[in-house]
Amino acid sequence: MTYRVAMDIGGTFTDVVAYDETSGTYRAAKAPTTPGDLAEGVFASLERAVEDPAAISFFVHGTTQGLNALLERKGARVLLLMSEGMRDVYHIARGNRDRMFDLHYRKPVPLVERYATAEVGGRLDWRGEELRPLDEEAVRAAARRAKDEGFTAVAVSFLFSYVEPAHERRAGEILAEELGEDVMVVLSHRVAGEWREYERTSSAVLDAYTGPVVRRYLGRIEERFAERGLGVPVQVMQSSGGVVNAAFARRHPLQTLLSGPVGGTMGGVAAAALLGRPNAICVDMGGTSFDVSLVLDGRPDISNEGAADGFPVLMPLVNLHTIGAGGGSIAYAEAGGLRVGPESAGAAPGPACYGRGGTRPTVTDANAVLGRVDPEWFAGGHMTLDTGAAQRAVEGLATELGLSAVALAGGICGVANAKMAQAIRTLTVEHGLEPREFTLLAFGGAGPMHAVEIARELGVAEVVVPRFPGAFSAWGMLGTEVRRDLTRQFFTPGDALDGAAMASALDALGIEGRAVLGEQGVPVGLRRVEHAVDMRYEGQDYTLTVPLDDSAEPAAEGFLARVSARFAGLHERRYGHATPGAPVEFVTLRTTALGGSPDLAPAGYAPEAGENPWAGRVKPVFFDGTRHETPVLRREHLAAGEEFSGPAIVVEATSTTVVPPDAHVTVDANGFLVIKLGGTA
């Protein structure tokens, strides 16, 4: 046997899915995350899914090491080198106000203090032509300062380096000579070779700030793999929805910033195709956070720029909205009212019911009090929950608020559900999308427990719980392609377009993209590229990305009219209006290089053979404060085509699905639970 293995390392649990390439079957498992040494949790979960680690032929994982370093402000000490006269670009930032009506709004505190910004002489003009040579002595002085003051990373962001990177390259060579491998050097044109000075600088700083943490983590994982006799290269999920090997990820650590949660989005794309639902809302509720992403017309919703904890970043990334709402989110009283999260009990001590010393009530504790989890078979029987501890934790807060334990537990879940529904509206309603036109795809260890109530709040009529929901992000990584994104600036008004020059530039990007795929080990026959161009109306600042048929299209007759029509259609869809015939401008060429993954053809879904020991099992569960005698079902014994109505609790190794009294469930041919809600439009 040989296995393809994917792993998602979350804040509370480490989830793993193994695909047996011989039989076409999947196996999922999870183990508590071990914050002190993540490798312990990695190998504990691996042992539950694969008998012989030496049989692993492919390993990919998602990591939040870089994101956690950013959120916790535990990144590197960064020295920033800027062009002479541009020292304050990073600190001035932009004048826009993200929250217009928040009287207490403050811009994020920069990751690099002003004293840690050094100016370097030398200047290029907007065409990339040298006006003054690089001041190499100033670069060497900055290197000496980095050594003397203990900086562990240096970011370099010079004017117009996205057009001509010669000065940045030379600065990088000097820094490497002076600093060796002990200090990470980041050049902005390699991180974000695009226009907009502040955003490019911010991206370079983020790469430098999180990079050393990611590099150390990947190095440790590879060392531990070698110690265990696993000879396969470690692959890492990117924020763009593709995978790369660890060597590339070490050179470009920023690409892994949203590594973990993006696996769920890519799993959502695969699941939506199996379901025949082109539009899906993907919700991933784990122990610490709640992540929302979208599948639109069968493709992941990806932007070419975004933000990380308030800092802009120029790179393709899946549009994710994350809030601090998970099974470990702590409930507390504030000003006489109930609050839930964003503080989390995490993996240690965890919710009170985990029996690891936690005493404050969490969402998981509330579900335990309501009877919505099985204490004897939690996490596939690898954990036994202390429901008494959960009861005591909830009762303590209930007494403070003058409520019964059951009423407060229902309130904790209700507050969490409302917060999660609002997070979904951020990506849908606020962008002109109607949630009722989507299927809600629920996964994560806690997602299926809350999905139906969240859908009800949004008016969504259908919820789907895929197989292995608690390890679904890992499942999504298994079939993901290798991906690299390349850009080149191409500023030109539409009426001055040289189509042949654009086609030539796209061809060059395509050649570079295929070569990069070769470096990643993708066979020639599985390499392909997709092209697009960023456009805007004259006078606009921001752009829309318009897909192209192929690299030769710009040289064809009538191209300007066709691409302008496509742009107008996208503008209408995004903003609700367009101006056909208005002058347009081209800004950036984009090429995405993709390496086809093998076809993971699963064996047909079939229930587990043998007698169901849980047949007829019933337990009391509270819904809307009312006690219901509720069937408890083991998911692996549910056959395709089977139907049942709520109330019901469906348990499995990686998650628990809660079905309220007015919902109806069908098990489809893929083994997915398709839940129809009563009372929704």
Side-chain angles (χ1 to χ4, degrees):
M1 294 182 181
T2 57
Y3 297 93
R4 291 178 64 86
V5 175
M7 183 175 291
D8 178 27
I9 304 171
T12 306
F13 284 99
T14 294
D15 308 313
V16 62
V17 173
Y19 174 76
D20 186 334
E21 295 181 300
T22 304
S23 65
T25 57
Y26 291 94
R27 183 183 299 174
K30 64 195 310 154
T33 295
T34 49
D37 182 1
L38 290 176
E40 290 184 18
V42 166
F43 289 109
S45 57
L46 265 181
E47 289 168 0
R48 296 176 182 177
V50 179
E51 292 87 353
D52 181 11
I56 296 174
S57 63
F58 173 85
F59 178 82
V60 60
H61 78 303
T63 173
T64 55
Q65 287 295 293
L67 182 60
N68 291 344
L70 172 63
L71 296 178
E72 298 170 12
R73 295 299 188 269
K74 294 180 179 178
R77 287 193 68 216
V78 180
L79 178 66
L80 175 61
L81 273 57
M82 300 289 290
S83 293
E84 190 175 40
M86 306 301 294
R87 177 181 181 183
D88 292 317
V89 162
Y90 180 64
H91 289 82
I92 293 173
R94 296 292 181 191
N96 58 306
R97 188 184 179 98
D98 291 337
R99 298 192 295 274
M100 291 293 293
F101 303 104
D102 183 354
L103 298 178
H104 303 286
Y105 171 73
R106 294 291 185 274
K107 287 182 180 180
V109 177
L111 300 175
V112 176
E113 296 185 49
R114 188 173 184 272
Y115 86 90
T117 304
E119 294 185 344
V120 174
R123 180 64 61 88
L124 306 176
D125 69 10
W126 64 274
R127 292 163 297 197
E129 296 179 2
E130 187 176 82
L131 299 177
R132 293 199 307 276
L134 177 69
D135 184 349
E136 296 190 2
E137 181 51 40
V139 178
R140 295 189 188 278
R144 291 192 292 272
R145 180 183 173 188
K147 281 183 182 178
D148 295 342
E149 299 183 20
F151 289 99
T152 52
V154 178
V156 183
S157 183
F158 294 158
L159 280 176
F160 304 115
S161 63
Y162 61 87
V163 179
E164 173 49 68
H167 281 188
E168 280 196 358
R169 284 177 180 155
R170 180 56 186 149
E173 292 170 358
I174 294 170
L175 292 168
E177 292 171 10
E178 298 285 342
L179 300 174
E181 296 183 358
D182 294 335
V183 177
M184 181 176 177
V185 177
V186 174
L187 308 181
S188 74
H189 75 274
R190 291 179 180 167
V191 179
E194 301 183 36
W195 68 299
R196 281 187 284 162
E197 203 67 21
Y198 166 60
E199 286 78 3
R200 180 162 51 83
T201 302
S202 173
S203 301
V205 168
L206 281 167
D207 199 40
Y209 187 77
T210 61
V213 173
V214 174
R215 284 182 169 185
R216 286 195 299 271
Y217 162 74
L218 290 174
R220 284 198 304 270
I221 288 291
E222 289 188 306
E223 286 174 9
R224 296 294 289 273
F225 261 47
E227 291 170 4
R228 297 289 184 105
L230 281 74
V232 296
V234 175
Q235 308 285 332
V236 185
M237 193 75 188
Q238 294 184 100
S239 303
S240 62
V243 299
V244 291
N245 59 34
F248 179 88
R250 281 197 297 270
R251 295 195 303 272
H252 303 274
L254 188 62
Q255 300 286 342
T256 70
L257 198 64
L258 304 177
S259 175
V262 164
T265 308
M266 302 312 295
V269 172
L274 290 173
L275 291 162
R277 315 285 203 274
N279 299 314
I281 299 169
C282 302
V283 296
D284 180 0
M285 182 181 180
T288 306
S289 63
F290 177 79
D291 302 310
V292 186
S293 57
L294 301 179
V295 177
L296 301 174
D297 296 328
R299 299 171 68 93
D301 180 25
I302 296 177
S303 291
N304 291 314
E305 59 182 287
D309 202 29
F311 299 104
V313 55
L314 287 177
M315 70 177 182
L317 71 172
V318 170
N319 282 324
L320 276 166
H321 184 60
T322 301
I323 62 171
S329 294
I330 295 171
Y332 59 97
E334 182 178 78
L338 175 64
R339 302 287 184 270
V340 179
E343 183 182 357
S344 173
C353 60
Y354 284 9
R356 297 174 182 160
T359 58
R360 301 172 69 185
T362 67
V363 173
T364 297
D365 293 314
N367 279 306
V369 169
L370 295 171
R372 297 179 181 180
V373 294
D374 189 275
E376 305 300 324
W377 208 74
F378 191 74
H382 291 288
M383 290 181 67
T384 299
L385 299 184
D386 185 346
T387 54
Q391 186 79 23
R392 290 189 295 273
V394 173
E395 281 180 347
L397 182 58
T399 300
E400 183 179 346
L401 293 172
L403 298 170
S404 69
V406 169
L408 179 65
I412 291 172
C413 291
V415 170
N417 292 339
K419 290 178 66 175
M420 290 184 283
Q422 184 55 43
I424 292 172
R425 292 188 185 99
T426 300
L427 280 190
T428 54
V429 175
E430 293 184 13
H431 289 79
L433 301 173
E434 173 53 67
R436 299 183 189 201
E437 297 174 0
F438 288 73
T439 290
L440 186 69
L441 191 66
F443 49 94
M449 298 183 69
H450 294 261
V452 174
E453 294 302 330
I454 295 170
R456 193 188 314 283
E457 183 138 346
L458 295 166
V460 174
E462 182 181 71
V463 172
V464 174
V465 181
R467 293 179 67 192
F468 320 119
F472 187 73
S473 289
W475 182 82
M477 296 176 196
L478 274 180
T480 302
E481 295 179 294
V482 174
R483 173 173 175 147
R484 283 290 290 117
D485 294 275
L486 308 169
T487 62
R488 179 173 297 179
Q489 295 305 133
F490 197 87
F491 290 104
T492 184
D495 57 9
L497 174 65
D498 183 341
M502 179 182 283
S504 176
L506 288 169
D507 276 336
L509 287 174
I511 292 169
E512 182 181 351
R514 288 187 173 89
V516 171
L517 293 179
E519 295 171 4
Q520 296 285 310
V522 178
V524 174
L526 295 179
R527 303 175 199 170
R528 72 183 197 281
V529 294
E530 297 176 355
H531 302 286
V533 60
D534 286 0
M535 296 178 62
R536 63 188 179 189
Y537 287 123
E538 283 189 5
Q540 285 185 323
D541 186 16
Y542 287 88
T543 62
L544 290 175
T545 301
V546 182
L548 303 177
D549 292 337
D550 53 50
S551 62
E553 188 186 4
E557 187 176 350
F559 167 72
L560 180 60
R562 289 194 303 276
V563 76
S564 295
R566 280 182 221 161
F567 170 71
L570 290 171
H571 202 283
E572 177 78 32
R573 190 182 310 169
R574 173 70 62 86
Y575 301 112
H577 67 91
T579 312
V584 297
E585 292 178 330
F586 298 93
V587 178
T588 305
L589 303 181
R590 300 190 182 275
T591 294
T592 300
L594 296 163
S597 60
D599 181 19
L600 303 184
Y605 171 71
E608 189 173 286
E611 185 178 349
N612 180 2
W614 286 25
R617 184 175 179 183
V618 173
K619 67 174 291 190
V621 180
F622 288 89
F623 293 96
D624 295 325
T626 302
R627 172 174 166 151
H628 295 259
E629 293 301 315
T630 303
V632 181
L633 310 174
R634 284 279 287 269
R635 183 166 180 178
E636 61 265 33
H637 290 285
L638 299 176
E642 189 168 343
E643 297 186 32
F644 57 92
S645 294
I649 303 295
V650 182
V651 301
E652 57 186 298
T654 66
S655 187
T656 298
T657 300
V658 174
V659 184
D662 63 342
H664 185 79
V665 181
T666 302
V667 183
D668 78 355
N670 305 299
F672 293 1
L673 303 181
V674 181
I675 307 172
K676 300 288 186 181
L677 281 65
T680 53

